[in-house]
Amino acid sequence: MLVSASTVLRGEVERIVAAAGAHLRVVPDAVEAGRYWDDASAVLVGSDIRELPPRRRTPAVMVGPAGEGDSLWHLAAALGAERVAVLPDAAAWLADHLSRSRSPGPGGLVLGVIGGCGGAGATTAAIWIAQAAAWLGVRVLLVDGDPWGGGLELALAAEETPGLRWPDLAEARGSIDPLQLADSLPVAGGFSFLSWPATREKPFPVAAAAAAGVLDAARRGYELVVVDVGRGAAPIHTVAWDCDRIMVVVPAQLKSAVAAVRMLQELPPVEAALLVRGRTGTALDGALIADAVGLPVQGRIPELRAVAGAMESGRLLDLGKRRNIRRFGANVLDWLGEDLQAGELT
């Protein structure tokens, strides 16, 4: 179903839907859309729409012309749309998306990890979660979602490991073969990773459509995709909106809790929980932080003095072998559901 009164968008979408071999229903506004929303296999919302029916269930894709630029992403965030398709550039991706929505195959779960404040330790948590999952036999991909983060590969001491980085995928268009992607990515700690290169050069821009295609292939090629989202506006409005669940890392401090509340307003409407960093008995306990932020606490990240040095020297994976770190990761996996049950650690 397309929700739009724009004849231009209708013409573009009709051609794409025909290519996907599907039937299109067009409605002009949210009022009429509400009657058919839950019966549609996919919902496309035009950039001329400013409100959606309440209690919608089908994930929506925001569609709009190339000339509207970043405003499409802001509108998608405001309406809760999970994808953005800029037409006609994203026509091939949208056709593939619609085809798969009619007969969806099995796919992995995408977990976003983001810091509630600067320096919260989200990268460390994401690495340890990926490592714990790999240790338990889960096929895992760790994704560096922040082009300005300096390169996640440094923390893994894997900057020399051969394989694709984000700039190598900048020109990706349409559907990406998940097996080819998996075969092309570097591996560290028993899991694949996709990092921004750890160089002094300015990050090479990767279009939002290309990033969405990569994450879609990752979902189809791995059981678990852990995304280190980053706190910039660009990664929050792109990779975060491809996540099925989000974990927010918050130090056990009042200021951090307040910062997390503000940041939550930018995140997609998916199930979220807190990971508290700090020793038991610190200024704020888990219950107080949960009340302050408005999210349940799912786990506590072990506080280790060696973390800062390990991050600088690329030894985080060594710390991740400790029993308490592995238990932390297993607790997170339990939250993700039966498909990723961690089982007993030895």
Side-chain angles (χ1 to χ4, degrees), residues 64-120:
E68 296 188 357
D70 292 341
S71 63
L72 276 176
W73 291 100
H74 295 302
L75 182 58
L79 296 182
E82 295 188 350
R83 305 283 196 281
V84 170
V86 181
L87 302 178
D89 293 347
W93 172 86
L94 184 56
D96 181 71
H97 174 79
L98 295 177
S99 296
R100 284 185 283 105
S101 70
R102 298 170 62 208
S103 56
L109 188 145
V110 181
L111 170 67
V113 182
I114 187 169
C117 63

Side-chain angles (χ1 to χ4, degrees), residues 3 6 8 27 33 41 45 85 90 97 132 139 141-142 249 277 286 306 315:
V3 187
S6 168
V8 175
V27 296
S41 61
V45 180
H97 174 79
R139 295 194 310 276
L141 170 62
L142 175 64
V249 180
R277 199 194 82 210
R315 292 184 295 104

Side-chain angles (χ1 to χ4, degrees), residues 27 31 37 65 84 87 123 135-136 147 218 232 343:
V27 296
V31 175
W37 194 284
V84 170
L87 302 178
T123 296
W135 189 279
L136 294 164

Side-chain angles (χ1 to χ4, degrees), residues 24-25 36 39 66 80 105 130 133 163 172 177 179 183 230 239 248 255 286 302 345:
L24 178 67
R25 181 193 299 274
Y36 309 105
D39 294 328
D177 186 282
L179 295 179
D183 289 343
V239 295
V248 182
K255 183 179 179 181
L345 291 172

Side-chain angles (χ1 to χ4, degrees), residues 166-282:
W166 270 117
D168 300 314
L169 298 166
E171 302 300 322
R173 294 292 183 272
S175 180
I176 299 173
D177 186 282
L179 295 179
Q180 290 184 354
L181 177 67
D183 289 343
S184 303
L185 294 176
V187 175
F191 54 85
S192 302
F193 69 90
L194 175 58
S195 176
W196 287 93
T199 67
R200 296 182 180 181
E201 299 177 3
K202 181 179 179 180
F204 189 87
V206 175
V214 170
L215 287 176
D216 180 72
R219 182 193 297 275
R220 289 181 285 134
Y222 293 88
E223 294 173 293
L224 175 64
V225 181
V226 181
V227 182
D228 179 16
V229 175
R231 285 179 45 82
I236 288 178
H237 291 155
T238 52
V239 295
W241 285 77
D242 279 299
C243 296
D244 301 307
R245 300 193 191 182
I246 291 178
M247 306 213 78
V248 182
V249 180
V250 181
Q253 302 167 354
L254 177 60
K255 183 179 179 181
S256 301
V258 173
V261 172
R262 294 174 179 172
M263 187 270 300
L264 287 177
Q265 300 173 10
E266 304 297 322
L267 295 180
V270 298
E271 186 176 356
L274 296 176
L275 294 175
V276 177
R277 199 194 82 210
R279 294 183 177 87
T280 304
T282 48

Side-chain angles (χ1 to χ4, degrees), residues 24-67:
L24 178 67
R25 181 193 299 274
V26 181
V27 296
D29 53 44
V31 175
E32 190 169 350
R35 298 169 53 192
Y36 309 105
W37 194 284
D38 290 336
D39 294 328
S41 61
V43 178
L44 312 178
V45 180
S47 56
D48 58 314
I49 301 299
R50 293 296 182 269
E51 63 177 352
L52 297 181
R55 296 182 298 278
R56 59 194 184 280
R57 296 178 182 176
T58 307
V61 178
M62 177 68 63
V63 295

